[in-house]
Amino acid sequence: GPGFDPESVRRDFPVLHRTVNGHPLVWLDNGATTQKPRQVIETLAGFYATANSNIHRGAHTMAREATEAYEGSRAAVASFLGAASPDDIVFTRGTTEAVNLVAQTWGRAQLGAGDEILVPVLEHHSNIVPWQMIAKERRARVVPVPLLPDGQIDRTAFADLLSYRTQLVALSHASNVLGTVPAVREMIALAHRYGARVLVDGAQAVAHFPVDVQELDADFYVFSGHKLFGPTGIGALYGKPEVLAALRPWQGGGNMIDSVEFGRTTFAPVPHLLEAGTGNIAGAVGLHAAIDWLTSLDRTAVTAYEKALTEYAVAALATVPGLELLGSAPERISVLTFTVAGYDPAAVAEWLDRDGIAVRAGHHCAQPALRHYGVESAARASLALYNTRREVDTLVASLHSMQQGV
Ligand code: PMP
């Protein structure tokens, strides 16, 4: 293939060339959100400058063009995820809204007293709390699937917990705090043997490796545009066609109806059924640009580059006295969550910020995962394809100087 050159990719990202506190920015908070290439920024600005219109309403040229752009993005998301049809894709605000949509539609219709939802301990709060909410309403139970010491899901425990009470397994394709990439395809196949559905949270996966929902046999797959070099406020839900077709409406309003009468209202088919009101049209167009940008790269080479960079970072961080990485599973993305003995994680992040290095400190919306390691808070350096060994060296040098008090 054409290979991968991080330096040439960096030129696409204007923000990577700014300084923070007098130092060149080192953006290592990609798990929270990724930066945007100029192709996405220019597409967003161009939409508002030349093409802004609402969609599906009024037969004028710009409404038709905006409709085509919106539906074109849906088709791009479908092919990006390996879905069979654009109709299998529902636009949402992001991962969180997509999980809530499934909980409030599929969950409300499907869950009954005593039913179980299996959720690995490492999940993001947005893949725990919506299930707790609907489980309470339906008198179902959310059952945690334990982790092994290295941060992998305990597959033996998972197999033991599965039963004919299991209605759903909700698990992430890559953990935002431990970086763990579980054997999702095998876990889905096992869950299906019990007739359970599986929702895969791809928020941290899609920027790091190619995804094929049909190959995984996922029932639902969700992600956020802003972690994929795209805009905030746009994301997607993939659902198997037969599963989506059975869903009742969620929010009511324009765009999701066929005909409205006070006596009786009829509805549009999915995906429009689940997209009440004016969507994030510019966001969808920007997401399409992000997908085009990412898929124009040699993704095999990108994944290999990130893997080598992660190995380099793990080795470099090991030179910092008292630094402990959370999670050491072999299958992982470039997320490095750590504690430094004697330092509050917030103070670590503050120190690094003075050197222009952006890392996140806190619980990372995954408190059960941190508590598995006996901590309430940690620092996290999450790398993207535009990060370099030089930036890893800057991070490690700053951590060394923190300990030397200089
Ligand atoms: N799941 C995972 C694994 C995540 O990393 C995140 C974002 N940190 C979310 C869900 C939530 O995504 P959003 O806030 O974009 O809805």
Side-chain angles (χ1 to χ4, degrees):
F4 177 69
D5 173 16
E7 293 302 337
S8 109
V9 158
R10 290 179 73 79
R11 287 196 281 277
D12 285 340
F13 288 81
V15 79
L16 295 181
H17 305 285
R18 68 165 278 182
T19 59
V20 170
N21 299 323
H23 299 272
L25 168 65
V26 177
W27 183 259
L28 301 180
D29 198 15
N30 297 288
T33 200
T34 53
Q35 298 301 345
K36 319 306 172 196
R38 62 182 163 71
Q39 290 84 344
V40 168
I41 298 165
E42 285 165 11
T43 298
L44 279 173
F47 178 80
Y48 284 123
T50 68
N52 179 55
S53 168
N54 210 323
I55 58 173
H56 301 137
R57 308 176 179 177
H60 60 76
T61 300
M62 285 172 65
R64 266 194 305 277
E65 287 175 4
T67 305
E68 271 166 33
Y70 193 67
E71 295 306 323
S73 174
R74 194 192 303 281
V77 171
S79 95
F80 180 68
L81 293 180
S85 162
D87 292 343
D88 307 341
I89 304 298
V90 179
F91 281 124
T92 65
R93 273 198 298 132
T95 303
T96 303
E97 190 176 62
V99 176
N100 279 276
L101 190 163
V102 174
Q104 297 294 318
T105 57
W106 182 90
R108 180 166 290 120
Q110 208 62 38
L111 296 170
D115 284 343
E116 293 181 350
I117 304 165
L118 301 193
V119 178
V121 164
L122 52 65
E123 293 305 311
H124 190 278
H125 296 164
S126 71
N127 202 21
I128 300 175
V129 180
W131 307 121
Q132 291 176 324
M133 289 164 63
I134 196 66
K136 181 147 197 246
E137 184 184 312
R138 304 299 305 158
R139 295 191 297 128
R141 290 198 326 128
V142 177
V143 179
V145 182
L147 303 182
L148 298 172
D150 69 359
Q152 294 192 72
I153 295 166
D154 183 337
R155 293 270 294 282
T156 308
F158 175 66
D160 289 345
L161 287 168
L162 276 169
S163 77
Y164 293 98
R165 285 187 302 274
T166 312
Q167 288 287 343
L168 183 77
V169 176
L171 84 165
S172 55
H173 206 176
S175 156
N176 69 307
V177 53
L178 307 178
T180 323
V181 179
V184 168
R185 193 158 59 90
E186 290 74 9
M187 291 175 70
I188 290 174
L190 193 55
H192 283 167
R193 297 229 298 257
Y194 291 85
R197 297 287 183 188
V198 181
L199 177 140
V200 182
D201 170 353
Q204 294 292 338
V206 287
H208 297 293
F209 50 83
V211 171
D212 185 327
V213 291
Q214 293 192 87
E215 204 250 335
L216 290 174
D217 202 22
D219 298 289
F220 300 105
Y221 197 99
V222 300
F223 76 92
S224 301
H226 72 96
K227 294 180 200 278
L228 185 67
F229 314 105
T232 50
I234 187 78
L237 160 69
Y238 158 83
K240 274 189 186 159
E242 68 272 21
V243 182
L244 284 187
L247 297 186
R248 301 307 306 144
W250 181 38
Q251 297 172 330
N255 290 338
M256 51 79 78
I257 53 89
D258 173 35
S259 152
V260 176
E261 287 177 49
F262 280 95
R264 180 181 122 99
T265 287
T266 55
F267 297 104
V270 286
H272 307 289
L273 177 72
L274 300 166
E275 294 179 357
T278 300
N280 186 349
I281 304 163
V285 171
L287 174 59
H288 190 171
I291 288 172
D292 282 351
W293 178 82
L294 181 60
T295 55
S296 75
L297 303 174
D298 176 345
R299 296 206 69 198
T300 305
V302 169
T303 303
Y305 172 76
E306 288 188 5
K307 186 175 193 304
L309 184 64
T310 305
E311 280 164 14
Y312 180 83
V314 167
L317 287 169
T319 67
V320 178
L323 187 146
E324 208 171 313
L325 271 183
L326 270 53
S328 55
E331 293 300 321
R332 67 187 303 163
I333 54 163
S334 46
V335 165
L336 301 161
T337 299
F338 59 91
T339 55
V340 184
Y343 291 87
D344 179 33
V348 173
E350 238 170 82
W351 176 276
L352 294 173
D353 182 53
R354 264 181 264 155
D355 283 341
I357 304 161
V359 303
R360 184 172 171 192
H363 58 54
H364 311 288
C365 300
Q367 288 182 318
L370 284 193
R371 287 175 189 150
H372 173 72
Y373 289 94
V375 297
E376 288 294 323
S377 173
R380 179 186 70 182
S382 47
L383 315 177
L385 46 75
Y386 43 62
N387 290 123
T388 62
R389 289 186 178 205
R390 184 184 70 242
E391 291 179 307
V392 170
D393 293 342
T394 305
L395 166 72
V396 172
S398 183
L399 289 169
H400 278 291
S401 68
M402 174 180 82
Q403 292 184 321
Q404 286 146 16
V406 293

